[in-house]
Amino acid sequence: MSRTFRATKSSCPCGFNDGQSVPDELVADTLLELRERFGAVSAETPTIQGLWQHEGKIFRDDLVRVFVDVGDTPENTQFFQTFKERLKDRFKQLDIWLTTYPIEVL
């Protein structure tokens, strides 16, 4: 029997917007928090590179993609809305993209 879940992905920056390196512990804390909450978490450790612009300034990001599949519940949606704000604070970011979409686990 299949079950409906939501795949949730976020990218943790390897550097702050001022160019300083993010301590490894911040990414580790993020993974631990998700594993403790949902029982599992995955990360793609090859660096993903991104470029973006804010108020005329171009920023370059090196990112680690973090993903977790969770039950499609209002409680989990609320958790990730709050979690996004914690990530913005933790990594001192203007924004953090956190995406979610339905998946079917067979």
Side-chain angles (χ1 to χ4, degrees):
M1 176 173 269
S2 65
R3 300 174 289 159
T4 301
F5 283 79
R6 295 198 73 82
T8 305
K9 296 182 182 182
S10 182
S11 297
C12 296
C14 298
F16 296 114
N17 288 336
D18 65 4
Q20 293 187 29
S21 294
V22 166
D24 291 340
E25 300 83 44
L26 293 184
V27 175
D29 289 348
T30 301
L31 297 173
L32 181 61
E33 182 177 355
L34 291 169
R35 195 220 25 101
E36 287 176 347
R37 169 85 183 201
F38 299 107
V41 65
S42 298
E44 291 178 327
T45 53
T47 302
I48 300 162
Q49 295 182 335
L51 292 171
W52 58 282
Q53 184 172 337
H54 178 73
E55 296 181 352
K57 184 174 180 181
I58 295 175
F59 294 87
R60 180 181 174 271
D61 283 334
D62 290 330
L63 307 160
V64 173
R65 183 172 293 138
V66 175
F67 49 101
V68 62
D69 299 335
V70 302
D72 190 2
T73 67
E75 294 81 15
N76 287 340
T77 299
Q78 180 59 51
F79 169 82
F80 281 109
Q81 289 170 341
T82 304
F83 183 68
K84 175 180 175 163
E85 296 306 313
R86 282 199 304 281
L87 290 180
K88 286 168 48 178
D89 289 341
R90 183 176 295 165
F91 294 102
K92 301 176 185 170
Q93 298 294 300
L94 298 170
D95 199 8
I96 296 240
W97 279 49
L98 196 147
T99 61
T100 179
Y101 54 89
I103 59 172
E104 184 177 8
V105 178
L106 303 177

